[in-house]
Amino acid sequence: MSKATFKHPLDPLTAEDIVAVTAEIRKYVAAKTDIKAVRFFSSGLLPPPKRVVLAHLGIPLEPGAKPEEPTPIVRRAEVDLLDAVRGGGYNVIVALKDGEKWEVEEFVALDKTLHPFISPEELMECENIVKADPKVQELAKAVGLEPHQIACDGWSIGYDDRFPQSQRIQQAFVYARLGEHENLYAHPLDFIPIVDSALQKVIHIDFPPHYKKTENGYKLSTDVVGAPPLEQDGLAASNRDRIHPPLRPWDFLPDLMEKSEEGGYKQRSDLKPLHIVQPEGVSFKMNGHVLEWQNWSMHIAFTAREGIALSTITYNDNGEIRPLFYRLSLAEMVVPYGAPEFPQPRKFAFDSGEYGMGTMANELSLGCDCLGQIHYLASTSPGAYVTHSGDAFVIKNVICIHEEDAGVLWKHTDYRTGGRGHTVRRRRLVVSMVCTLANYEYIWNYHFYQDGHVEFEVRLTGILQVYVSGDNEPNPFGSTIAPNINAHYHQHMFCLRVDPMIDGLKNTVIESDIVPLPDAPTGSASNFAGNAFISQDLVLEKETGRPYDFSKERRWRIVNSGRKHSASGKAGGFAIGVKGAAAPMMAREDSWAAKRSSFLPNTLWVCKEVEGANSGSQRIWPSGKYVPMTREEPKDSIGKWVEGKENVVDEDLLVYVNFGTTHIPRPEDWPVMPVEHLNVTLKPVSFFKANPSMDVPGTKDALSVAAFSDKVNGAQTSNSSCCNGSN
C-alpha cells in the first residue's frame, strides 16, 4: 500500500493490505521463531492515537480552539494467530514503514487461556467433524437418520470447567436436514457433541435431561446437579430414553412450502407494488469512506468484530464544524438462555466477541435488503477479513447506505379561521448491515436525522434456537412453539460503545432523575395541587456503572462544560435515550453468564479513555479482548476499568450503553420470527440554538395521489400545500 492510497487515517485494511500483512508475518515466523505453521484469525487496522487523527482532519480539541498541528501517521495492523501444530495464540503488530513496506514490530505470545474469536472456517469444520464422527452417526441412526442427514451449528462452549481453559473447543447443536435447503431447525436432535477445534475430533457427547410433571412440580429425569463426569456415559447420566426428532417440515422458502405446507400454500396476491424513487439522485456524497449528508459528516468502515464502525462524526452548524462522536460501534452482545439443566446453561453466546459480527455479515441484495437508490460501501472498498491461510475473504455489498422517508419532521397548524399551517417531512440517512449468526439474523441500522439526532436501531429476526422435547413434556423454562419443539427463554443484550467528542475531547456525563418535588406534599405551599415534579442532576465525577431506573425516568447526557447555551444556561451535549430498550439482566450476578459478561449489571458505564503509545484506544471490548473460553471477569473489561475510580469530569472519556430484550418465544415466532425492533438515541440538548431543522424545505410530493378517486374523505384535492406554508 502506498502513501497515496489511504485518504483517511481510519480507513480499514483492504484485501490487498491483509494479504501483504500476513505474508510479512509468515516471513517473520519462518526466520525468527520455531513455529512450523500458523492459522490467522484476525487482521485489522490498529488506529493511530485520537489526537493524531483529529489533527490530520483539522478537528479542534476544545470549543473555539484551533486544531493541533498534524504529525506523520504510520499505518499499523493488529493480527491474532494460532500455532497450527502446538496450539497457543500470538498477538502481532505490523507497521507500514515509509508507507511502502510492512514490518513486524511486536510478536507476543498470549496466555494459554486466551483465545482469538472463533472463525467462520472453524464453525464449518465443526459441522464436518460432527457429521463424520462414528458415534454421532450411530446416535443418529438410532433415531432413524442417515449420516448425510446430520447437520449442526457450532457454538462457543460457553462455560464448562470439565475441560482445560487452554483447550480450544466448541459445542455443536445437532439437527436433521431431510432435504436440500429445508429448514433443519424443525428437526432438533437430543444430544450435544463437544468438538476440539485443534484436534478436529469429537471428544465428548452430552445428553440434556428432560422434565416431567409431578404432584410436587416439575422434576428432571436425573438427580445430578451440574455437569456429570466426563467418564460417565452422557445418556446414562441424563437417565432418560432417546427422543426422536420431530419430522414435520417447517419450511420458509416459498417453493418448498408449496410442497410441504399442510393444507397447501399460496402467497398473497393482493399486495400492489410500492416503489421508492429519487428522480434527481441521492442527497449524500461519498469520498472513499467519508460520507456527507444534511450537515453530517462521518467515516464509515467495516470491521471483522464490530461490523460497522462510524468515526469522526461532525455536524456543520451554520458554517461551524462541530465534533460530536469520535467513534460509535457495537462493542459486544451476549445471548444468555434461561434453562438451568446442564448443559443448557452453556448457551450464552457472545456474538461479537466470540465470533466476530463482521465475519458473519451478509452480502446484501439490491431491492430486497435495501430499497431505493443504494450505495454499497463495499463497491469501492469491500468488507474484507483474514482467513486461516492469510488470504482475504471479501464480502461484497456489505454495508448499505441510503435515504428513506421517516414520516413528519415537524408540523404546526394555526387552528383559527384563516390560519396557516406548515408540514415538513423527515428524511433520514441509513447506514446498515445484516448478519447471520447460525439461526438468528441481526439487522444493524444507524439512522441520522435532519434535526441533529442519531439512532442506533437493532432489528432481530431469523429462526429460534430450539431443542427437542418429548411427547407432552412440560416446559418450565421455555415455550413449546410447535409439536415436540422447545424454544428456551433467553435475552439479547447489546453494548453500544460511544466515544464522545462533544465540541472537543473534554466531556462529562450527567445523570438526571425525574422525581416528584421532594418534601412537598399535596396541599403544601410549594405544591398545593400535588402536581410538581423536577429534574435532579448528578454529575458522574468518577468512573462508574449506573443502572437504569424506570421509576425515575432516569436519563443521561454527555456534555461539554466549556460551551453553554445562551438561553438555557446549560452545557451543550447529547442525551442518551434507552427507555424503549433498557432491559435488566435476568441471570444472577454470580452466574456463569454474569461473570463472563460483566458489563450487563448496569445500563451505562463511564470510564476514562486510555490509549497506547503509538495507537488508539486500549479500552474497546467491555467483556475483554479475548472472549472464548473465559470463566471469570477478564482483567481488561469494563467492570475492572472502573475500579480505578479515575476522574471523568471534563475528560476524554468513554460511555458504554447496554440495552436489550427478553424473549419469551411465541408460536407466532415460528418458523421464522417477525422482526423485533430495539433502539438507542443520541439527541442534542442545549447544543443547538434552536431546532436545527427549521431550514428543511417542506416540499410537496408531486407523485402522491388519491388512492381511489379525486376526492379524499369527501374533500376535493388541490394544488395548495400544507408543505409550503401557503394554506
Side-chain angles (χ1 to χ4, degrees):
M1 182 178 186
S2 67
K3 294 180 181 178
T5 56
F6 90 81
K7 295 182 177 181
H8 190 288
L10 301 179
D11 282 353
L13 299 185
T14 64
E16 293 75 17
D17 290 334
I18 290 172
V19 172
V21 165
T22 57
E24 182 60 31
I25 292 174
R26 286 190 183 282
K27 292 178 185 177
Y28 181 93
V29 168
K32 299 187 177 182
T33 76
D34 62 352
I35 299 171
K36 303 303 180 185
V38 297
R39 302 176 90 187
F40 293 96
F41 283 80
S42 69
S43 178
L45 177 74
L46 185 64
K50 191 179 297 184
R51 288 173 176 263
V52 173
V53 173
L54 296 177
H56 179 88
L57 300 176
I59 296 176
L61 304 182
E62 296 184 40
K66 292 183 178 180
E68 294 186 345
E69 287 296 318
T71 57
I73 293 178
V74 177
R75 294 273 284 177
R76 287 182 170 84
E78 183 175 20
V79 178
D80 286 317
L81 58 86
L82 290 178
D83 184 327
V85 177
R86 296 174 299 189
Y90 295 84
N91 179 257
V92 188
I93 307 299
V94 187
L96 186 64
K97 300 296 185 180
D98 300 320
E100 296 176 357
K101 186 179 185 301
W102 292 98
E103 294 182 10
V104 173
E105 286 188 332
E106 299 179 26
F107 193 93
V108 179
L110 300 176
D111 185 274
K112 64 180 181 179
T113 63
L114 299 179
H115 298 266
F117 59 64
I118 300 168
S119 69
E121 289 161 282
E122 283 183 306
L123 295 172
M124 297 299 292
E125 289 170 354
C126 179
E127 182 170 44
N128 293 332
I129 292 165
V130 168
K131 292 175 70 171
D133 184 77
K135 181 61 176 177
V136 170
Q137 293 181 359
E138 177 186 330
L139 292 170
K141 186 75 171 179
V143 291
L145 301 175
E146 297 300 324
H148 71 275
Q149 296 175 313
I150 300 170
C152 80
D153 288 341
W155 276 47
S156 163
I157 192 66
Y159 185 111
D160 194 329
D161 58 11
R162 298 176 300 173
F163 302 95
Q165 202 169 343
S166 59
Q167 195 170 7
R168 191 171 177 86
I169 55 179
Q170 298 179 58
Q171 59 182 327
F173 294 99
V174 188
Y175 308 90
R177 173 157 260 172
L178 305 181
E180 187 181 16
H181 304 306
E182 71 121 23
N183 181 10
L184 60 95
Y185 300 105
H187 319 298
L189 272 63
D190 67 338
F191 59 93
I192 303 173
I194 308 298
V195 172
D196 186 306
S197 299
L199 299 177
Q200 298 206 332
K201 69 176 185 179
V202 174
I203 57 174
H204 187 69
I205 299 177
D206 287 313
F207 289 78
H210 278 245
Y211 284 96
K212 58 182 177 180
K213 193 170 185 179
T214 70
E215 293 180 354
N216 298 319
Y218 300 111
K219 181 173 176 56
L220 277 175
S221 57
T222 178
D223 293 327
V224 175
V225 176
L230 290 176
E231 58 270 16
Q232 185 177 8
D233 177 78
L235 181 59
S238 70
N239 193 33
R240 64 164 171 84
D241 296 329
R242 294 296 308 282
I243 302 174
H244 286 245
L247 300 180
R248 184 218 191 274
W250 287 97
D251 292 312
F252 58 89
L253 297 173
D255 58 317
L256 298 184
M257 294 174 70
E258 289 176 359
K259 302 173 184 177
S260 65
E261 195 69 13
E262 294 178 356
Y265 171 78
K266 182 181 179 182
Q267 289 189 327
R268 301 180 189 187
S269 59
D270 58 349
L271 196 61
K272 303 296 177 64
L274 188 156
H275 301 293
I276 298 173
V277 179
Q278 292 182 275
E280 298 180 18
V282 299
S283 303
F284 58 86
K285 299 176 182 178
M286 295 296 306
N287 182 10
H289 288 265
V290 176
L291 178 147
E292 292 183 356
W293 177 82
Q294 293 289 289
N295 299 322
W296 292 98
S297 177
M298 69 198 74
H299 181 271
I300 306 172
F302 168 89
T303 81
R305 184 158 173 173
E306 300 153 295
I308 298 174
L310 303 180
S311 303
T312 56
I313 301 170
T314 63
Y315 192 90
N316 185 337
D317 185 9
N318 293 305
E320 180 186 0
I321 305 301
R322 301 180 69 178
L324 302 181
F325 305 102
Y326 185 76
R327 200 169 190 271
L328 297 176
S329 68
L330 177 78
E332 191 54 271
M333 68 163 291
V334 63
V335 187
Y337 282 73
E341 70 275 11
F342 189 84
Q344 306 295 3
R346 291 193 311 220
K347 291 198 300 187
F348 54 102
F350 291 78
D351 288 335
S352 179
E354 288 183 322
Y355 306 106
M357 194 59 68
T359 68
M360 304 295 163
N362 290 190
E363 181 176 315
L364 302 176
S365 298
L366 185 64
C368 296
D369 298 300
C370 308
L371 299 182
Q373 292 196 225
I374 306 301
H375 174 71
Y376 292 110
L377 187 67
S379 63
T380 53
S381 177
Y385 64 87
V386 73
T387 64
H388 286 176
S389 66
D391 292 331
F393 186 92
V394 174
I395 309 174
K396 298 178 182 179
N397 298 351
V398 67
I399 296 177
C400 169
I401 303 167
H402 68 282
E403 296 171 283
E404 60 187 25
D405 181 85
V408 172
L409 175 62
W410 59 264
K411 175 184 176 71
H412 181 64
T413 299
D414 183 347
Y415 69 88
R416 295 164 182 84
T417 302
R420 296 170 60 190
H422 194 57
T423 301
V424 177
R425 292 201 65 80
R426 180 169 66 171
R427 186 87 58 91
R428 70 182 177 194
L429 179 83
V430 184
V431 181
S432 65
M433 173 182 285
V434 181
C435 299
T436 298
L437 281 298
N439 53 295
Y440 251 101
E441 264 77 17
Y442 297 98
I443 302 169
W444 315 102
N445 293 324
Y446 287 90
H447 295 150
F448 290 82
Y449 292 90
Q450 293 161 305
D451 64 353
H453 91 268
V454 186
E455 177 186 46
F456 177 52
E457 179 195 51
V458 182
R459 301 184 184 183
L460 302 85
T461 181
I463 299 177
L464 294 163
Q465 203 284 329
V466 296
Y467 183 64
V468 63
S469 61
D471 292 337
N472 301 314
E473 181 182 352
N475 195 358
F477 301 99
S479 304
T480 302
I481 55 171
N484 301 106
I485 298 178
N486 172 11
H488 289 132
Y489 303 153
H490 58 281
Q491 294 188 286
H492 299 263
M493 305 297 286
F494 306 92
C495 185
L496 176 66
R497 182 179 183 269
V498 180
D499 186 346
M501 55 173 186
I502 308 297
D503 278 327
L505 295 182
K506 293 183 178 180
N507 290 170
T508 303
V509 175
I510 299 175
E511 179 178 284
S512 298
D513 286 344
I514 315 303
V515 297
L517 185 65
D519 303 320
T522 302
S524 64
S526 56
N527 191 20
F528 72 92
N531 63 307
F533 62 90
I534 60 172
S535 175
Q536 292 181 326
D537 285 352
L538 172 68
V539 175
L540 303 185
E541 298 180 348
K542 303 294 183 182
E543 294 175 311
T544 186
R546 300 292 294 170
Y548 187 75
D549 190 333
F550 283 92
S551 68
K552 297 179 180 178
E553 285 268 3
R554 178 164 291 171
R555 58 200 66 189
W556 297 274
R557 63 186 188 272
I558 309 168
V559 304
N560 189 317
S561 62
R563 186 163 182 167
K564 292 182 169 57
H565 193 272
S566 58
S568 73
K570 294 184 177 181
F574 273 68
I576 301 168
V578 294
K579 183 178 180 181
M585 176 182 68
M586 292 301 172
R588 294 187 180 274
E589 291 193 6
D590 58 353
S591 65
W592 295 353
K595 287 180 181 178
R596 297 186 67 213
S597 48
S598 57
F599 65 92
L600 287 183
N602 290 300
T603 301
L604 181 130
W605 298 86
V606 183
C607 67
K608 193 172 181 179
E609 172 70 289
V610 174
E611 293 192 306
N614 298 309
S615 62
S617 182
Q618 302 292 293
R619 291 180 165 182
I620 300 179
W621 318 116
S623 278
K625 185 174 183 178
Y626 299 102
V627 179
M629 303 296 297
T630 56
R631 294 180 182 170
E632 300 292 337
E633 180 179 3
K635 294 179 180 178
D636 61 336
S637 62
I638 185 67
K640 297 295 184 182
W641 296 337
V642 301
E643 288 180 358
K645 297 297 181 183
E646 293 284 337
N647 173 64
V648 285
V649 174
D650 295 335
E651 292 284 355
D652 183 6
L653 52 83
L654 301 172
V655 178
Y656 290 82
V657 183
N658 296 327
F659 62 103
T661 182
T662 302
H663 194 174
I664 306 300
R666 309 169 298 150
E668 292 85 353
D669 291 329
W670 183 255
V672 180
M673 186 176 77
V675 163
E676 181 170 349
H677 299 252
L678 298 171
N679 72 311
V680 172
T681 58
L682 300 166
K683 289 190 175 184
V685 178
S686 293
F687 185 82
F688 296 109
K689 177 182 177 181
N691 180 352
S693 66
M694 295 304 294
D695 58 352
V696 176
T699 305
K700 181 180 179 181
D701 178 25
L703 298 181
S704 293
V705 297
F708 301 111
S709 69
D710 292 337
K711 294 185 177 182
V712 180
N713 294 333
Q716 182 74 31
T717 60
S718 70
N719 292 326
S720 65
S721 174
C722 63
C723 302
N724 60 22
S726 63
N727 67 327

